[in-house]
Amino acid sequence: MEEMRKLRAKRVVIKVGTSTLVYPDGAINLRAIDQLAFVISAMRHHHREVVLVSSGAIGVGLNYMGLKQRPKAIPDQQAIAAIGQAELLSIYKERFAIYEQKIGQLLLTRDIFVYPKSHQNVLNTFEALLAQNVVPIVNENDTVAVDELDHETKFGDNDQLSAIVATNIDADLLIMLSDIDGFYDGNPHADAKAKLLPHIATVDAQTYALAGGSGSRFGTGGMVTKLKAAERMLKADGQMILANGADPAVIFQILAGEPVGTLFG
């Protein structure tokens, strides 16, 4: 059994995937959102700085509008994202208020980190929010970021967004909650002998060779994007843990150093 982990976790970014927030049938998982609010609020009370990168806008928007699948046209997807983002933040605000924790919203596009002035502005915003004991809730600005624009604005997925945010604000740890228990040496859904790898020190070509698969019908992330995020964190001398987000209380176990999920770093 793996020993208790030593984590640096003064400033933590938590990325939660759509699969944690939305049930497979499209209904919103209010229990998981409430648990997430509780855990993060408890972390704040213990003087940890926390940023939440939250997927789920389109999934919540589909549920709100009573739709069973994503529309195909990009403007329609953007409209669903706008509707869902408002609804999702409303739910977050309600749940965090129960625990007397204030939140703020940042909707980002990739070019913000490319242009020096906008880059510094957004970093200043993060620092000001954290200094005021506010939890920033971050998502990609899907109403602006599309592939067809002249300059690159899309992060591609919130796995990349979470790692970019974490490395830019000098976070110690990125906790990535997904619908899988960690990183395996095979596909656990197809191979009963696939083993969970509790610790990966470096992400290399061999690691990528083990990765594969795709996200749920509501999300966009796969294992490759999670490895790219881990690689980015390692290059910045940070750590990342990939764990199952079915019960966000797992974050307490992670912060206690228990061998949950896969530790990169």
Side-chain angles (χ1 to χ4, degrees):
M1 186 174 179
E2 189 185 7
E3 297 180 358
M4 297 294 280
R5 294 166 172 167
K6 295 181 180 179
L7 299 176
R8 301 181 301 276
K10 170 63 178 166
R11 178 172 286 190
V12 182
V13 174
I14 297 171
K15 187 267 177 179
V16 59
T18 302
S19 59
T20 297
L21 305 176
V22 179
Y23 289 113
D25 66 358
I28 300 170
N29 189 339
L30 294 175
R31 179 186 175 278
I33 295 176
D34 183 76
Q35 192 72 5
L36 190 62
F38 169 69
V39 171
I40 292 175
S41 299
M43 291 172 67
R44 282 295 311 121
H45 292 320
H46 285 86
H47 307 293
R48 297 185 193 270
E49 296 176 327
V50 187
V51 173
L52 174 62
V53 176
S54 175
S55 300
I58 289 180
V60 171
L62 291 172
N63 178 75
Y64 186 81
M65 297 301 289
L67 301 175
K68 293 300 182 183
Q69 59 186 10
R70 286 177 183 238
K72 293 183 179 180
I74 286 179
D76 291 336
Q77 290 185 30
Q78 291 172 299
I80 291 295
I83 293 165
Q85 189 64 39
E87 178 67 7
L88 181 58
L89 200 73
S90 176
I91 296 170
Y92 272 130
K93 186 175 181 180
E94 176 188 83
R95 301 292 158 162
F96 273 98
I98 295 171
Y99 307 107
E100 300 181 343
Q101 176 60 55
K102 293 180 173 62
I103 63 171
Q105 177 178 251
L106 283 87
L107 296 178
L108 304 178
T109 51
R110 193 175 188 124
D111 55 336
I112 286 172
F113 292 100
V114 173
Y115 298 107
K117 188 170 183 179
S118 59
H119 182 197
Q120 191 58 55
N121 287 341
V122 77
L123 293 185
N124 291 344
T125 303
F126 272 113
E127 294 296 338
L129 288 169
L130 293 171
Q132 295 177 52
N133 301 321
V134 174
V135 172
I137 297 182
V138 182
N139 197 358
E140 183 162 13
N141 190 343
D142 289 317
T143 61
V144 173
V146 294
D147 292 330
E148 284 76 7
L149 296 184
D150 290 337
H151 53 283
E152 185 179 18
T153 60
K154 278 190 71 66
F155 293 96
D157 56 81
N158 276 354
D159 293 339
Q160 298 309 299
L161 171 58
S162 65
I164 290 170
V165 168
T167 53
N168 272 274
I169 67 171
D170 296 323
D172 306 303
L173 177 66
L174 169 58
I175 298 175
M176 190 169 292
L177 300 182
S178 186
D179 56 359
I180 193 167
D181 292 340
F183 187 78
Y184 287 78
D185 62 0
N187 183 347
H189 300 299
D191 182 2
K193 295 182 179 179
K195 293 182 180 180
L196 177 70
L197 303 178
H199 183 216
I200 294 178
T202 58
V203 176
D204 53 23
Q206 184 178 1
T207 320
Y208 279 107
L210 294 173
S214 59
S216 70
R217 69 190 177 101
F218 297 106
T220 57
M223 192 54 67
V224 170
T225 64
K226 290 166 179 56
L227 282 184
K228 288 181 179 179
E231 186 176 13
R232 186 182 290 271
M233 287 299 296
L234 293 179
K235 285 182 179 178
D237 197 30
Q239 296 172 299
M240 183 182 114
I241 289 180
L242 173 62
N244 197 312
D247 183 359
V250 71
I251 294 171
F252 286 135
Q253 294 175 264
I254 291 171
L255 295 175
E258 295 181 25
V260 176
T262 300
L263 168 64
F264 295 86

